[in-house]
Amino acid sequence: MSEFDYVVVGGGSAGCVLADRLSVDPGNKVLLLEAGGTDRNPLVSMPKGFAFLMKNPRYVWEYDVEPFGPHRQQEHWVRGKLLGGSSSINGLVYNRGQAADYDDVVARGNPGWGWDQMLRVFRTIEDHSLGASAVRGAGGPLGVSVINTHDEVSEALMDAATTLGIKRVEDINASDEERTGYTAATMRKGKRVNSAKAFLHPAMKRPNLTVLTDTIAQRIVFESDRAVGVEVSTAKGTQELRASREVIISCGSLATPKLLQLSGIGPKEVLSAAGVDVRVDSPRIGEGLREHRCIPLQMRLKENKGYNRFLSTPLGQARAGLRYLTTRKGPIGTAAYDMLTFVRADAASERPDAQVLMTPFSLGVGPVDGGIEGRAGLSLLGFVLRPTSEGSVHIQSADPGRPPRVEVAYLETDYDKRVSVAMFRRMREIVEQHPVADMIFSEIEPGPAVDDDDSILRAGLLYGGAGYHASGACAMGPAESDPLDARLRVRGVPGLRVVDVSILPTMVAGNLNGPIMAMAWRAAEMILEDR
């Protein structure tokens, strides 16, 4: 049995930041546990390498979501299973959310998370290719790059958006207005900068930080009512790893509620049904799961332009790969979607309520994670920024090896339906404008017959997909029924905190990798203040 001051469970986007910040003080003995392996695979550094990693069970956890929607569809979710977690396999899109999102977290009874604090953190961690300003940072550990491709189709898409009054900007994160621009990506010099590369690897030189990979946390260990460690399994068997100060769970939106519930912390009816003794009846652990429903719009181009010609065949991929290896540029050297557009879709919204990702390639008709098609096309993929439909994550047995039951809620509330329809109509408006309209032959997905509100929503469920931004299943809040307090301490369990995307009481606008790294930095400040 080994003992540390802090045991951080999960070496993903949040866990790598925590391991770095908590070990800065040489007096803190810190242990980071990661269930997967290292992030040494060269495909991790290659921006478009995620297309291969996401299909390899060596690098991802796999979850089959319960059937949903009128067609009882099934959906397969993956999460990163290696150092850096999902920041090692994601699409690299770097959004920070809107200032009002963080102020809303405070307004919900969670002091310390307002935009004044979070902007300070973002400016501290960023190393932005556009340089430092009042709203962004340079010289920090996290590489952020804006890749201006000058692609003809891309430029036409953004020009079309501007004809609708949407402002084109150089830095997509510099304001919260309606805007369009090239994507900011977690990259530096053409290579992915995951959470491990930015925060963990430099910290691993410190003698007071221990990192264990291929180590699976099975349950939290208690003495009386206090969390004092973690029971883990490795190739060598099981053991207990102890924390004299705190155990910090950073396993992500699905694995964190699972670990808490396996440890007897969660809704008593869920725990009892799974055969787990109830330690703390916390009714909201595993509840409130929110996810973006990405709704696609794909167009056929008249001429062979865009990325399909480079990415749809083995020969084209080889050429694009060679270009990337020699120049760190080209279609393989960009984020999953080259451009972002933020729109105020619903007339009742006071600020942008939807995000549209745009790119000069198409996937053909079908699920949004299909392969690149041979004929030239372009794609738009939109989602409601702050969905209100709520799903859940529940263990099904006391066996740590059994996946939890994940129930997703897509487009179930009137708000989500209304904004999704309005957003989709704005997407169509963009492609109807000059100059991109001049390049388009036809709409291929969902097709012009999909026009009324109900058919748009059905098409979004049938052809769309998850944003891989699930959050909120262990949210902070002021009520005794909220799983965590504002400093992310688990209610009813001294010595235990949660720091990952599951803490969010409301969705932060956009992709969540950037926000959770910044929030983990802020959480580390709180943890050290509370010593």
Side-chain angles (χ1 to χ4, degrees):
M1 182 176 69
S2 301
E3 183 165 309
F4 300 82
D5 295 306
Y6 299 99
V7 174
V8 180
V9 185
S13 296
C16 289
V17 177
L18 291 170
D20 169 30
R21 302 320 301 157
L22 296 177
S23 64
V24 166
D25 183 344
N28 291 334
K29 192 176 180 183
V30 180
L31 172 65
L32 176 67
L33 304 176
E34 168 54 38
T38 70
D39 60 333
R40 296 191 189 119
N41 189 318
L43 289 172
V44 173
S45 293
M46 183 183 295
K48 287 291 197 303
F50 70 87
F52 302 96
L53 294 171
M54 290 180 72
K55 299 175 182 178
N56 189 334
R58 179 179 177 181
Y59 298 107
V60 295
W61 295 104
E62 298 178 288
Y63 299 90
D64 289 319
V65 177
E66 292 299 304
F68 63 89
H71 300 288
R72 305 308 294 158
Q73 294 156 254
Q74 292 183 309
E75 198 162 75
H76 186 70
W77 290 3
V78 296
R79 294 294 186 272
K81 185 183 178 183
L82 69 169
L83 287 177
S86 292
S87 74
S88 298
I89 64 163
N90 68 3
L92 295 90
V93 177
Y94 180 73
N95 284 332
R96 299 191 308 195
Q98 298 171 5
D101 296 332
Y102 298 96
D103 291 339
D104 185 37
V105 172
V106 174
R108 291 169 180 260
N110 303 287
W113 298 99
W115 182 238
D116 56 341
Q117 290 282 6
M118 294 310 301
L119 177 59
R120 170 185 62 82
V121 173
F122 279 116
R123 293 187 69 228
T124 300
I125 68 175
E126 290 174 352
D127 183 22
H128 206 293
S129 65
L130 297 178
S133 74
V135 294
R136 63 175 175 264
L142 182 66
V144 178
S145 299
V146 177
I147 309 300
N148 190 329
T149 66
H150 300 290
D151 173 80
E152 183 181 359
V153 178
S154 300
E155 291 290 327
L157 271 166
M158 289 184 288
D159 287 346
T162 63
T163 66
L164 298 175
I166 300 170
K167 182 179 179 180
R168 179 165 176 179
V169 296
E170 183 181 38
D171 181 358
I172 202 73
N173 285 302
S175 73
D176 292 339
E177 61 192 326
E178 286 195 308
R179 62 202 186 278
T180 188
Y182 281 109
T183 301
T186 47
M187 294 172 55
R188 184 188 284 122
K189 296 181 180 179
K191 293 184 177 182
R192 175 192 298 271
V193 180
N194 62 357
S195 186
K197 185 174 183 179
F199 301 100
L200 181 63
H201 291 315
M204 288 174 68
K205 300 173 184 177
R206 301 170 187 152
N208 60 322
L209 173 61
T210 300
V211 178
L212 298 180
T213 56
D214 301 302
T215 304
I216 301 174
Q218 296 187 310
R219 289 175 183 84
I220 299 163
V221 176
F222 301 90
E223 284 185 0
S224 186
D225 63 344
R226 183 178 182 84
V228 296
V230 184
E231 178 189 301
V232 302
S233 67
T234 67
K236 297 179 180 180
T238 62
Q239 67 178 122
E240 289 185 6
L241 300 168
R242 294 273 181 146
S244 61
R245 289 180 178 160
E246 292 192 18
V247 176
I248 306 164
I249 310 302
S250 300
C251 299
S253 56
L254 305 180
T256 284
K258 173 188 172 183
L259 180 58
L260 292 172
Q261 291 171 10
L262 285 171
S263 305
I265 308 166
K268 61 181 180 181
E269 64 277 8
V270 172
L271 304 186
S272 298
V276 173
D277 292 337
V278 179
R279 176 173 290 274
V280 176
D281 179 13
S282 186
R284 292 292 297 170
I285 287 181
E287 307 300 320
L289 185 75
R290 299 183 183 187
E291 173 61 292
H292 291 133
R293 186 61 183 179
C294 298
I295 300 178
L297 174 65
Q298 299 196 84
M299 315 301 292
R300 172 74 60 236
L301 298 179
K302 295 176 181 176
E303 300 178 32
N304 193 18
K305 298 177 179 179
Y307 289 174
N308 287 25
R309 52 187 165 157
F310 303 119
L311 299 177
S312 62
T313 66
L315 178 60
Q317 292 169 4
R319 289 174 174 170
L322 180 62
R323 181 184 177 189
Y324 172 76
L325 291 174
T326 55
T327 67
R328 296 288 183 255
K329 296 181 180 180
I332 290 178
T334 64
Y337 284 79
D338 288 31
M339 298 151 285
L340 304 182
T341 300
F342 289 89
V343 299
R344 189 171 62 86
D346 185 6
S349 297
E350 297 180 354
R351 55 192 171 109
D353 52 17
Q355 174 177 323
V356 180
L357 301 96
M358 308 190 301
T359 197
F361 65 71
S362 56
L363 301 173
V365 179
V368 297
D369 57 354
I372 305 294
E373 64 170 352
R375 298 172 65 188
L378 63 83
S379 299
L380 283 74
L381 193 68
F383 55 81
V384 177
L385 285 171
R386 290 169 291 274
T388 56
S389 303
E390 295 186 355
S392 61
V393 184
H394 294 157
I395 57 170
Q396 303 182 78
S397 80
D399 177 8
R402 185 174 178 184
R405 178 185 177 93
V406 180
E407 294 188 326
V408 66
Y410 289 129
L411 310 183
E412 292 186 357
T413 64
D414 290 341
Y415 173 84
D416 292 355
K417 294 175 182 178
R418 184 177 72 251
V419 179
S420 292
V421 169
M423 170 198 71
F424 183 78
R425 297 193 188 284
R426 289 296 298 276
M427 291 161 61
R428 272 189 172 153
E429 277 189 278
I430 291 173
V431 298
E432 289 169 355
Q433 309 305 310
H434 173 81
V436 76
D438 304 333
M439 299 180 173
I440 291 173
F441 177 73
S442 65
E443 178 180 321
I444 56 174
E445 187 182 49
V450 175
D451 193 46
D452 63 276
D453 292 1
D454 287 343
S455 63
I456 290 171
L457 293 172
R458 287 197 301 270
L461 291 172
L462 185 60
Y463 299 120
Y468 295 104
H469 306 144
S471 66
C474 295
M476 68 174 104
E480 285 302 310
S481 60
D482 291 320
L484 314 177
D485 67 14
R487 299 181 79 81
L488 311 184
R489 295 171 294 208
V490 177
R491 279 194 167 84
V493 188
L496 184 63
R497 294 196 208 220
V498 171
V499 183
D500 56 38
V501 292
S502 63
I503 70 174
L504 292 170
T506 181
M507 191 78 92
V508 173
N511 307 63
L512 298 184
N513 185 49
I516 198 53
M517 287 189 283
M519 294 182 83
W521 186 287
R522 178 71 182 118
E525 294 177 339
M526 293 181 175
I527 293 166
L528 294 174
E529 289 168 0
D530 290 344
R531 282 186 297 184

